[in-house]
Amino acid sequence: MKQLIYRSQPFGFDQAMLDGILIAAQRNNRANDITGALICRQDMYIQLIEGPDEAIDDLFALIRTDDRHTDVQLETSEPVEQRMFPDWEMLADTNPSMTFSQTQVENGAVESASADTLRDVFRRIADDARS
């Protein structure tokens, strides 16, 4: 099983677009045994996806060509033994204060964050979702 984290810049972000992404992700991810979480705001996407290696590779290839994203950057892709989000086809971050402030994003905090820092953000989101 593989876990992958990427970041990108949204193109044409609005709530309707986010709702469409989440509905499609939940449906398609369920069919492909993929779970994960999406941090999504008007200034950034950061997503963690996990599941069978080939399914993750195929999904990331689609994301890289999706015109709702610009500047897609792979942060980490590695084998894992257990899922961080086993019960979520795609969890939307409902507490953006747990991630990066707009000022931090503007000052490059996301681009300079290590894979471990990003993984820790997702761990906090996973812990919060289980509470």
Side-chain angles (χ1 to χ4, degrees):
M1 181 169 37
K2 182 182 284 190
Q3 183 183 81
L4 182 149
I5 299 174
Y6 77 90
R7 65 177 168 82
S8 67
Q9 297 295 310
F11 181 79
F13 177 85
D14 63 18
Q15 190 61 45
M17 184 179 74
L18 175 57
D19 292 345
I21 289 171
L22 292 172
I23 289 167
Q26 290 165 350
R27 179 188 63 243
N28 296 334
N29 289 355
R30 185 177 304 116
N32 293 301
D33 193 27
I34 294 172
T35 58
L38 173 64
I39 300 168
C40 184
R41 300 192 323 227
Q42 73 275 6
D43 55 353
M44 69 173 184
Y45 291 141
I46 307 172
Q47 188 171 27
L48 180 149
I49 52 177
E50 53 199 3
D53 293 9
E54 186 175 342
I56 294 300
D57 292 342
D58 291 348
L59 176 56
F60 189 59
L62 288 172
I63 289 167
R64 292 177 75 87
T65 62
D66 187 326
D67 63 4
R68 296 171 294 190
H69 300 266
T70 62
D71 192 29
V72 177
Q73 300 292 319
L74 177 64
E75 295 297 328
T76 183
S77 177
E78 59 190 21
V80 293
E81 295 202 16
Q82 68 181 32
R83 295 173 189 258
M84 193 179 297
F85 295 93
D87 301 322
W88 296 95
E89 283 86 15
M90 188 49 56
L91 175 69
D93 174 26
T94 57
N95 189 0
S97 65
M98 289 178 66
T99 58
F100 299 92
S101 71
Q102 185 170 355
T103 301
Q104 288 173 312
V105 171
E106 290 169 359
N107 291 332
V110 176
E111 291 85 358
S112 64
S114 70
D116 287 337
T117 297
L118 295 175
R119 196 173 300 104
D120 287 344
V121 168
F122 283 106
R123 274 194 197 98
R124 289 194 310 270
I125 292 168
D127 291 345
D128 189 56
R130 284 190 282 272
S131 344

